[in-house]
Amino acid sequence: MELRAYAKILLRRWWVVLAPVVVVAAGVGVSYAPPPTAYQVVMRFSAGTEPAGLSLDYDRYYPWQASEYIANAMADVAETGVFAQAVAARLADMGHDVPSSAVQRGIVTDNARSILVVYLTWLDPDQIVAIAEAIADELMGNSGAYYPQLENLDPALHLLDDPVPTPLPPSLRAQLTGPVIKLALALFVGVGLAFLWYYLDPMVWEREELEELGWTVLARIPRR
């Protein structure tokens, strides 16, 4: 079937196509609420250990290299479920009941050489500070639990930024994603209903339909 035939089917039943869209659009207009404002805390940590060796000058390269390894390793650790459970336990001791799964979803990390960067996104501006402090305490005070070589050493990570929440207004994409998806699904349903009606309709609308049955059309009475 050519595209023109599909277009004729849809145009002939255009109101069937648009009916679900209009209904969904009305529902979206009544019930739509913009997504809430999220907050983000960005914390940077410097990573490093004290030089150890016979010659400080000779071994100066290796502590710097080790600091990059530490930043990279702890960036991976901070996104794990085990780390989130440890942070949730610290929050419970502080009187905050926060699921570890939510903590894990809110953490994104990165590292640039010997600097570890932790991004924490949360909806509650008051609770995010407590979570950020728990993350910082876990990274600085319990790094040996994840890497035994860091046990009994001076803290391998040092916090460089205070946990200050910054509001993140919802983007236009975030505001429109939900309604657009609903309207697209409604349009898909409308198109499906139009084609279903076409296949179930016993009426003959086009000359080609008779010719496909082997009948010869001699003439056709115009609509006007």
Side-chain angles (χ1 to χ4, degrees), residues 45 74 90 134-146 150-153 155-157:
F45 298 83
M74 296 307 294
R90 288 178 177 270
I135 291 173
D137 293 341
E138 182 66 17
L139 285 172
M140 294 187 297
N142 200 29
S143 56
Y146 307 99
L150 300 178
E151 187 70 32
N152 298 325
L153 293 178
L157 296 172

Side-chain angles (χ1 to χ4, degrees), residues 30-176:
V30 172
S31 62
Y32 175 75
T37 299
Y39 296 84
Q40 187 178 73
V41 166
V42 180
M43 296 182 293
R44 290 174 294 181
F45 298 83
S46 61
T49 59
E50 295 183 358
L54 299 176
S55 171
L56 181 62
D57 293 332
Y58 178 78
D59 291 333
R60 190 178 301 275
Y61 166 76
Y62 296 102
W64 279 106
Q65 187 179 37
S67 67
E68 295 183 20
Y69 291 156
I70 294 171
N72 184 38
M74 296 307 294
D76 294 335
V77 165
E79 294 186 358
T80 63
V82 174
F83 181 84
Q85 291 174 4
V87 172
R90 288 178 177 270
L91 290 170
D93 294 338
M94 298 166 57
H96 298 280
D97 184 14
V98 180
S100 61
S101 57
V103 174
Q104 186 177 7
R105 288 194 302 269
I107 296 176
V108 176
T109 63
D110 193 6
N111 68 288
R113 295 187 180 276
S114 58
I115 297 295
L116 164 64
V117 185
V118 177
Y119 302 90
L120 175 63
T121 306
W122 207 257
L123 295 179
D124 189 335
D126 298 324
Q127 199 174 47
I128 191 175
V129 175
I131 298 174
E133 292 175 349
I135 291 173
D137 293 341
E138 182 66 17
L139 285 172
M140 294 187 297
N142 200 29
S143 56
Y146 307 99
Y147 292 101
Q149 57 268 41
L150 300 178
E151 187 70 32
N152 298 325
L153 293 178
D154 190 59
L157 296 172
H158 297 273
L159 181 62
L160 302 178
D161 301 294
D162 293 330
V164 179
T166 301
L168 297 176
S171 64
L172 181 62
R173 178 180 178 182
Q175 297 182 51
L176 296 180

Side-chain angles (χ1 to χ4, degrees), residues 143-219:
S143 56
Y146 307 99
Y147 292 101
Q149 57 268 41
L150 300 178
E151 187 70 32
N152 298 325
L153 293 178
D154 190 59
L157 296 172
H158 297 273
L159 181 62
L160 302 178
D161 301 294
D162 293 330
V164 179
T166 301
L168 297 176
S171 64
L172 181 62
R173 178 180 178 182
Q175 297 182 51
L176 296 180
T177 297
V180 168
I181 291 177
K182 293 178 180 179
L183 292 175
L185 291 175
L187 180 61
F188 179 79
V189 171
V191 171
L193 290 175
F195 281 109
L196 179 62
W197 191 341
Y198 166 76
Y199 285 111
L200 297 179
D201 190 356
M203 297 182 62
V204 176
W205 294 90
E206 300 292 339
R207 180 183 62 187
E208 291 78 4
E209 299 178 23
L210 295 176
E211 293 176 345
E212 290 177 358
L213 297 175
W215 294 8
T216 301
V217 178
L218 300 179

